Amino acid sequence: MSIPLPASFAHRVIDADGVRINTHVSGDGPPVLLLHGYPQTHLIWHHVAPVLARKHTVVLTDLRGYGDSDKPPSTPDHSAYSKRAMAYDQLLVMRELGFDRFAVVGHDRGGRVGHRLALDHPRAVAGLAVLDIVPTRHVFQHADAAFGLGYYHWFFLAGGGGIPEHLIGGDPEFWVRSRMQARHNGGTPFDPAALDEYVRCFSDPAAIHASCEDYRAAASIDLRHDDADADAGWRVSCPVLALWGADSFVGHTYDVLDVWRRYATDVRGQALPCDHYVPEEAPEMAAKLLGSFLSRVTAAR
């Protein structure tokens, strides 16, 4: 399924050590991997990716558990959906495409996967752009009542006993559309074809369960990995661009650049006039800023 991507994006399914990753590739030039968030697929980039493909080889994927990628069985420790496992999938995809070093751009969950990819495989990641997030570890260390209300889904989805799966599974379309509309504030409207695709993919019970496992991992094994890195003094060493919505919870709650500078050595960025879904709400500005960042990363290679 390529709607609403242009036909220039070639579709592939790439085996990442037994996990099939749904992939689209277009363009020529330095490679950049674009990673989506919750509850989207690679189509969150449908405005931005064609612009970046004018000067770059753009790789779009569905994270494991999402879209049309595989949904591996979960494990008691949630490691199957740790950001470490999800990041390794993406490393293998890029290697299969012939890229040993590349830039990564991630929105929401994809930004967390990109953060882990840059920590675990620093030689592979030339630059990292993170959209409307601060690091998971910082979020949990500073969670309060405002966070619990604004980001209640972090705790709901991480809950056990199959409860979130059962409740969301009763009406996945309502869940997807209501979650996304609640975090959209002006700017470019969501593309109806993209929304339909998000609903189609998320209507699979396996996708609902996998996405819950993603959040369960964030609250458990991912934190252990993040704490170990912090204790060792490891930070992201490549250039980092942080973009966020001026009207988003992240924009209202955190000093985004200050937070990221505790986790990376070279950070710059700014707010955009939108809410959470930066690539869809403010696509022209996002594409321009990402293009400039990617050019800087390329020039520094």
Side-chain angles (χ1 to χ4, degrees), residues 40-226:
Q40 295 86 25
T41 71
H42 68 279
L43 287 180
I44 194 173
W45 303 106
H46 67 91
H47 290 301
V48 172
V51 177
L52 298 182
R54 296 170 188 167
K55 295 184 178 180
H56 299 271
T57 301
V58 174
V59 180
L60 308 176
T61 65
D62 293 338
L63 298 169
R64 72 159 61 188
Y66 291 85
D68 289 315
S69 288
D70 277 352
K71 287 83 178 167
S74 56
T75 52
D77 66 352
H78 313 299
S79 60
Y81 289 91
S82 69
K83 303 310 154 295
R84 175 159 287 162
M86 297 170 88
Y88 189 60
D89 290 341
Q90 302 303 318
L91 180 73
L92 295 183
V93 166
M94 296 303 281
R95 285 178 177 173
E96 177 64 23
L97 293 171
F99 304 124
D100 292 323
R101 188 165 171 80
F102 48 90
V104 180
V105 179
H107 173 258
D108 189 80
R109 312 308 292 175
R112 302 184 192 287
V113 174
H115 184 197
R116 175 47 56 192
L117 184 56
L119 286 169
D120 285 357
H121 308 282
R123 293 183 180 179
V125 179
L128 172 66
V130 287
L131 276 58
D132 209 57
I133 66 164
V134 294
T136 304
R137 182 172 179 268
H138 183 88
V139 170
F140 278 113
Q141 286 183 337
H142 296 83
D144 56 13
F147 179 82
L149 291 171
Y151 266 43
Y152 71 89
H153 62 288
W154 275 46
F155 304 104
F156 170 62
L157 296 172
I163 294 172
E165 287 94 334
H166 179 78
L167 295 177
I168 294 172
D171 193 348
E173 180 170 2
F174 172 79
W175 174 255
V176 170
R177 294 185 186 275
S178 63
R179 283 304 304 152
M180 292 187 64
Q181 291 296 341
R183 303 172 76 188
H184 184 289
N185 185 17
T188 302
F190 292 125
D191 187 305
L195 275 174
D196 288 346
E197 274 294 279
Y198 303 152
V199 170
R200 176 187 72 82
C201 292
F202 211 78
S203 295
D204 179 359
I208 296 172
H209 175 66
S211 66
C212 290
E213 284 294 299
D214 174 6
Y215 281 84
R216 290 167 187 145
S220 57
I221 190 168
D222 289 345
L223 284 179
R224 293 195 290 275
H225 293 158
D226 292 345

Side-chain angles (χ1 to χ4, degrees), residues 217-272:
S220 57
I221 190 168
D222 289 345
L223 284 179
R224 293 195 290 275
H225 293 158
D226 292 345
D227 285 342
D229 286 344
D231 290 345
W234 294 347
R235 297 197 292 166
V236 174
S237 57
C238 68
V240 172
L241 175 70
L243 303 176
W244 64 94
D247 295 321
S248 73
F249 180 87
V250 169
H252 290 161
T253 306
Y254 305 105
D255 183 335
V256 179
L257 295 182
D258 178 69
V259 173
W260 273 108
R261 284 169 179 152
R262 305 176 201 177
Y263 289 83
T265 59
D266 177 3
V267 181
R268 63 188 68 188
Q270 67 181 75
L272 281 70

